[in-house]
Amino acid sequence: MNSNWINKLYYGDNLDIMRDHIPDESIDLIYLDPPFNSKASYNILFQEKNGTESGAQIEAFGDTWKWGYESEQAYHELVTQSSKSLADLIQALRSFLGQNDMMAYLVMMAIRLVEMYRVLNSSGTIYLHCDTTASHYLKLVMDAIFGAFNYRNEISWRRSNPKSHMTINFTNCRDIILRYSKSDKVVFNPIYTEHDPDYVKKAYRYVDEDGRRYRLLPLLNPNDDRPNLTYEFLGIKRVWRWTKERMQKAYDEGLVVQLKPGAVPQYKKYLDESKGRTATDDWDDIKQSAGKENLGFPTQKPEALLERIIKASSNEGDIVLDPFCGCGTTIAVAERLGRKWIGIDITNLAVTLMKNRLEDTFEEDLSPYEVLGDPKDLQGAKALAEQDKYQFEWWALGKIGARPAQDKKKGADKGIDGYIYFIDDESGIAKRIIVSVKGGHATVSQVRDLKGVLERERAVIGVFLTLQEPTKPMKEEAAAAGFYEPKLLPGKAYPKLQILTIEEVLNGKQIEYPRVAPEVTFKKAERHSKADQGEQKSLF
């Protein structure tokens, strides 16, 4: 990686991107939270699948891993081209598990973890976030790739309060985070958390004349055979922890006290000088995303969780990689903490969410970054439309700042692909723009249908976004819809039905609508300063 670093946000399959764009040993820290349907029935995950189902796909709000051509291809590569230990393990797992969703998940993860091992530097760390359904299998896979001797921790994160309902199992409220390094020379910065209030009350039970709370600690040496540390102090002869000179200095500074004559002197430790409680592998003090931080992404992780990971296993200026970036919590925290970053996601919708989050959070403080892999010209847009019409729709909606209407694969779209919301009066009620995206042949009847949807949905503006140039009848049909005239903007009129081509959008043309208030289409991320160090600040 060169010194003129620009942060990177990739759209595409992380396997291809790691192989084609990320050099060997160039990454300092990897965090990944790969999609897995933890709510699915355990039996369904292990059910044998036959036929020619499509390969593993990662949808924006639904995670599915299916055994098909892609997983079979990954399996073949793993057993023929990887290390003997990994090849043997993968074959044994297939023999044990069979050909099902769980096995598809494991082979698609294994082939990517091989690449993550390659790109991680010798002092780097990887954190794999998973659930208890698959953590034991993933640990075997990581043992085979990173080496069992480089296993560091199995972190348990209590992500929610236990639910009261139980049937035949204890309710699950935790995730697993597997931490591995590439060698024994690993970056690790100790993390301290808040002291328990009951512990503080019990341990730090003394208060000095300045109101500072402190506790008393023993000064006796556990080793009785230390002649150089054996001396009399305040009338008491013992084997001490410190030399006599150091003991006298601490006493002169008021840090060594004798509660009564003849009592063994003790050392004052002030609460406000404590770093806090040493963090363990049981993380029960980080709550799930809530309030302004919650952007509505189903698998969103709290910033405090990523802050702990990034602070513990990287330093300022290090490069952090999240190959399953989702809504971008990792890169947002990395940006705030002065790290360089690479984010990858296979959905255009996630890339749009990440861009909005970064720009809302940091505004003018945002470090330079580039988006790679998404279409930059008309030819690229056409290629994406032919390859995957849903990804094309999400990309096109993102280019005009629209929110997708729904997961289109789950049902009819009712003629609506996306929404834009805006406020242009004193009521505070958002008005709605509906968007229809056409990547194929566009006709005047489709424009007429959008006009009907506009009336049915009581939206104020409709946008027909098309790859093709509109015909004259299409333009005439759009013009016949008339204008939207906001009450508080006299003299302003906006076409009620607007046709935009992808080429126009790529050249900078925007939808015409009132922009008198902040955008409300996407939930805005909370503004953060890069100086804000968040949850790791000590209270003392």
Side-chain angles (χ1 to χ4, degrees), residues 318-345:
D318 285 351
I319 301 175
V320 178
L321 166 66
D322 187 341
F324 293 91
C325 216
C327 66
T329 300
T330 303
I331 62 175
V333 176
E335 173 76 11
R336 175 160 56 84
L337 296 179
R339 274 64 168 174
K340 301 167 186 175
W341 51 262
I342 299 173
I344 308 172
D345 204 273

Side-chain angles (χ1 to χ4, degrees), residues 221-230 239:
N221 197 312
N223 185 355
D224 291 334
D225 188 20
R226 296 294 301 273
N228 61 320
L229 294 176
T230 303
V239 183

Side-chain angles (χ1 to χ4, degrees), residues 403-520:
R403 186 173 76 191
Q406 60 179 0
D407 185 346
K408 301 267 304 281
K409 292 189 176 184
K410 293 182 178 178
D413 59 26
K414 299 181 181 178
I416 304 171
D417 296 317
Y419 295 106
I420 295 172
Y421 293 91
F422 68 93
I423 297 172
D424 65 352
D425 59 31
E426 296 175 345
S427 71
I429 299 174
K431 295 182 174 63
R432 187 165 52 157
I433 298 172
I434 58 174
V435 183
S436 177
V437 181
K438 299 299 176 187
H441 183 59
T443 65
V444 66
S445 62
Q446 292 171 338
V447 178
R448 193 176 300 119
D449 290 342
L450 180 58
K451 188 190 297 184
V453 174
L454 189 64
E455 295 171 356
R456 184 192 74 209
E457 297 292 322
R458 298 180 181 178
V460 296
I461 293 174
V463 177
F464 192 85
L465 185 57
T466 173
L467 259 177
Q468 292 185 333
E469 286 293 323
T471 62
K472 183 178 179 181
M474 290 169 65
K475 294 178 181 178
E476 292 173 347
E477 187 68 37
F483 293 87
Y484 166 66
E485 300 179 37
K487 293 179 181 179
L488 294 185
L489 296 172
K492 291 284 187 179
Y494 303 87
K496 285 198 75 171
L497 209 163
Q498 303 175 31
I499 300 178
L500 267 73
T501 67
I502 293 296
E503 187 171 22
E504 288 174 329
V505 170
L506 288 169
N507 289 329
K509 187 173 182 179
Q510 297 183 332
I511 301 169
E512 297 180 46
Y513 69 94
R515 300 172 186 266
V516 296
E519 296 288 343
V520 293

Side-chain angles (χ1 to χ4, degrees), residues 36-55:
F36 189 73
N37 193 356
S38 57
K39 294 181 181 178
S41 164
Y42 205 73
N43 292 331
I44 291 175
L45 294 173
F46 288 89
Q47 183 178 349
E48 291 284 346
K49 299 295 195 322
N50 298 314
T52 56
E53 298 181 65
S54 61

Side-chain angles (χ1 to χ4, degrees), residues 292-354:
K292 292 182 179 180
E293 185 183 322
N294 186 2
L295 302 178
F297 199 84
T299 58
Q300 180 177 346
K301 299 301 181 291
E303 289 194 8
L305 182 73
L306 271 301
E307 183 170 329
R308 181 170 295 178
I309 289 169
I310 291 171
K311 280 192 168 184
S313 295
S314 69
N315 298 309
E316 287 193 27
D318 285 351
I319 301 175
V320 178
L321 166 66
D322 187 341
F324 293 91
C325 216
C327 66
T329 300
T330 303
I331 62 175
V333 176
E335 173 76 11
R336 175 160 56 84
L337 296 179
R339 274 64 168 174
K340 301 167 186 175
W341 51 262
I342 299 173
I344 308 172
D345 204 273
I346 202 168
T347 65
N348 265 296
L349 176 56
V351 172
T352 298
L353 288 172
M354 283 185 269

